[in-house]
């Protein structure tokens, strides 16, 4: 498992879908490497998605383009974010660390108000 501390995102356009099967890439970095430690490739709906793989010191995870926004949301809004890859099963994922149920942006009194409103309905 590795920690992701930075990322860069690329969206491709300009070619027909038959010429450009992978239309988005997100490179993920940590603080100890200049090159990506993990790259996520996002493929058009309906196209063959190659298996996940490891190349030297970079993990390559592959997803349908429908997962792009969810993936990007985790990177933008969560800390810490980790990645994992099992070479034997070819299963890979990103995940967040443990987080409290109550986000700091919402005060306890606000939560109680929301809960009370739900009870009354």
């Amino acid at each position: 498992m590795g920690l992701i501390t930075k990322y860069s995102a690329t969206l491709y356009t300009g070619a027909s879908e038959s010429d450009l099967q992978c239309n988005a890439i997100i490179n993920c970095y940590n603080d100890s490497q200049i090159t990506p430690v993990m790259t996520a490739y996002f493929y058009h709906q309906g196209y063959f998605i190659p298996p996940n793989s490891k190349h030297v010191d970079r993990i390559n995870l592959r997803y349908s383009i429908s997962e792009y926004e969810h993936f990007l949301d985790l990177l933008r809004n969560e800390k810490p974010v980790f990645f994992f890859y099992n070479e034997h099963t070819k299963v890979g994922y990103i995940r967040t660390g443990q987080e409290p149920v109550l986000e700091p942006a919402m005060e306890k009194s606000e939560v109680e108000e929301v809960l009370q409103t739900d009870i009354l309905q």
Side-chain angles (χ1 to χ4, degrees), residues 30-82:
N30 63 25
D31 290 334
S32 62
Q33 247 178 260
I34 310 170
T35 57
V37 293
M38 194 269 294
T39 299
Y41 297 88
F42 298 86
Y43 294 83
H44 287 288
Q45 290 292 123
Y47 277 85
F48 170 75
I49 298 176
N52 297 321
S53 63
K54 181 176 182 181
H55 180 72
V56 186
D57 58 353
R58 185 183 74 220
I59 303 301
N60 299 304
L61 301 182
R62 295 173 172 92
Y63 297 88
S64 167
I65 193 64
S66 65
E67 299 298 321
Y68 180 78
E69 287 297 324
H70 303 293
F71 196 99
L72 204 52
D73 181 64
L74 282 176
L75 293 174
R76 285 180 176 157
N77 299 308
E78 305 297 337
K79 283 188 181 178
V81 176
F82 301 94

Side-chain angles (χ1 to χ4, degrees), residues 79-90:
K79 283 188 181 178
V81 176
F82 301 94
F83 69 94
F84 174 82
Y85 175 70
N86 180 313
E87 285 189 72
H88 178 69
T89 63
K90 306 288 187 220

Side-chain angles (χ1 to χ4, degrees), residues 17-40:
E17 286 188 15
S18 62
D19 295 333
L20 188 64
Q21 292 179 17
C22 175
N23 61 338
I25 294 175
I26 298 176
N27 286 306
C28 298
Y29 305 86
N30 63 25
D31 290 334
S32 62
Q33 247 178 260
I34 310 170
T35 57
V37 293
M38 194 269 294
T39 299

Side-chain angles (χ1 to χ4, degrees), residues 113-121:
E113 185 178 319
V114 169
L115 290 174
Q116 188 64 26
T117 303
D118 286 346
I119 292 170
L120 296 174
Q121 291 181 353

Side-chain angles (χ1 to χ4, degrees), residues 92-113:
Y93 58 84
I94 66 168
R95 72 169 185 83
T96 65
Q98 292 183 358
E99 296 195 30
V101 174
L102 179 62
E103 290 289 330
M106 187 178 265
E107 297 294 324
K108 186 177 179 182
S109 61
E110 293 174 307
V111 172
E112 290 170 353
E113 185 178 319

